[in-house]
Amino acid sequence: MLKKTLFTLQLLLTLLMCAFLLIPVGMSILAGLSVNYFRGPSAGLTFKWVIQVWQDYHDAILNSLYVGAATLVLVALLGVPAGYVLARWQSRFARWIEELLTLPIALPGLASALALISVYGGMRGFRESLAFIIVGHVIFTLPFMVRAVAAACADSRIKLMEEGAASLGASFVRRFMTVVLPNIRSEIVAAALIVVTLSLGEFNLTWMLHTPDTKTLPVGLADAYASLRLEIGSAYTAVFFVLIVPLLIVMQTTAQRAKVRNARGRT
């Protein structure tokens, strides 16, 4: 009886927290579809502001999608091998490297951005390109991929399967591609979900690194609200959710399927 009561209270608290977070977002989205921001839906609904968001900020939207995709690719290419090496490298030096990789998470985004600008700001072509923002996002999100992969590769079952493949004559590359990667696929997809979400929503770092030609979604959203274009800002929020929610659902579904396949393969 006590266990059931505690579960009910925990569920209720979780639902209340979700409502506390989601209701304001939903109201903001609804305001972006209203004819008049201050009167709300009673004034009537319209897609005028959404269309204007695309007309005014389509470059920022496309930039954000490009930065997010490029960040994910680079983080996967760098983070997966790095996580595997750190999991297999039983050394104090490996632990130091792992701690250094997590340093960008501990530092404020503004501090990381200032560090990048102070070192590479003089390279004008690089400074004014989206590549500059992508580098910042990779540095910020890389620890999430490395930690996830390192934790997965530390699983004793994966070590045993890898040793079994080695005893059968499989090369390192073949073991990594056919044994390690398939068995940590769910962890990689889960980390990729975090990387994409953080990249698309990152503001502090991007705000310092961007130029007028390299605005992204969060920077454009901040500009819309800062200029007191409340209808545009609210519609911008709606566009942001339309872009990111389906992506998150697809990646979450993929992660769940990969997890189920991995569980079946291990049994």
Side-chain angles (χ1 to χ4, degrees):
M1 183 65 182
L2 179 61
K3 186 177 180 180
K4 186 176 181 180
T5 302
L6 290 174
F7 173 78
T8 303
L9 290 174
Q10 185 179 16
L11 179 61
L12 180 61
L13 180 61
T14 302
L15 292 175
L16 287 174
M17 288 298 298
C18 290
F20 181 80
L21 293 172
L22 295 178
I23 287 177
V25 174
M27 294 300 294
S28 178
I29 293 174
L30 194 58
L33 300 175
S34 301
V35 173
N36 186 287
Y37 177 87
F38 297 100
R39 291 177 58 191
S42 61
L45 299 178
T46 179
F47 284 101
K48 173 184 176 181
W49 310 120
V50 175
I51 295 171
Q52 191 167 341
V53 164
W54 177 253
Q55 291 174 343
D56 294 348
Y57 297 102
H58 67 276
D59 287 338
I61 294 171
L62 295 177
N63 284 344
S64 208
L65 294 175
Y66 175 75
V67 168
T71 299
L72 176 58
V73 171
L74 291 174
V75 166
L77 291 175
L78 296 172
V80 173
Y84 175 82
V85 170
L86 290 176
R88 294 290 181 268
W89 188 11
Q90 300 300 322
S91 168
R92 183 181 299 178
F93 189 57
R95 304 287 77 79
W96 290 348
I97 293 176
E98 192 172 355
E99 292 303 323
L100 287 174
L101 284 173
T102 59
L103 191 60
I105 301 176
L107 291 175
L110 294 177
S112 299
L114 284 172
L116 288 172
I117 292 172
S118 63
V119 176
Y120 303 109
M123 303 168 63
R124 184 172 180 179
F126 179 48
R127 173 69 182 89
E128 296 177 353
S129 69
L130 282 174
F132 197 53
I133 296 177
I134 292 170
V135 168
H137 283 211
V138 168
I139 293 172
F140 176 65
T141 58
L142 184 61
F144 296 95
M145 180 66 74
V146 172
R147 282 293 181 95
V149 172
C153 290
D155 192 324
S156 59
R157 291 171 295 182
I158 295 178
K159 291 181 180 179
L160 287 174
M161 287 187 288
E162 194 176 358
E163 290 172 0
S167 68
L168 295 174
S171 64
F172 168 75
V173 174
R174 188 171 183 181
R175 295 197 307 270
F176 186 75
M177 298 299 294
T178 62
V179 176
V180 177
L181 288 183
N183 283 282
I184 64 171
R185 181 166 41 196
S186 60
E187 288 81 2
I188 292 175
V189 175
L193 176 68
I194 297 174
V195 169
V196 171
T197 305
L198 290 175
S199 180
L200 291 177
E202 171 56 34
F203 171 73
N204 291 332
L205 185 72
T206 311
W207 183 74
M208 286 291 294
L209 298 180
H210 88 282
T211 66
D213 294 328
T214 58
K215 286 184 180 180
T216 61
L217 272 167
V219 177
L221 178 60
D223 287 349
Y225 278 111
S227 60
L228 298 180
R229 302 171 69 186
L230 300 180
E231 293 89 351
I232 301 297
S234 297
Y236 207 121
T237 303
V239 171
F240 183 84
F241 270 81
V242 167
L243 288 174
I244 197 171
V245 169
L247 176 63
L248 297 182
I249 291 174
V250 169
M251 296 189 71
Q252 185 70 28
T253 303
T254 304
Q256 289 295 331
R257 290 177 179 175
K259 190 174 182 180
V260 170
R261 285 195 296 267
N262 287 351
R264 289 175 180 174
R266 292 173 184 176
T267 56

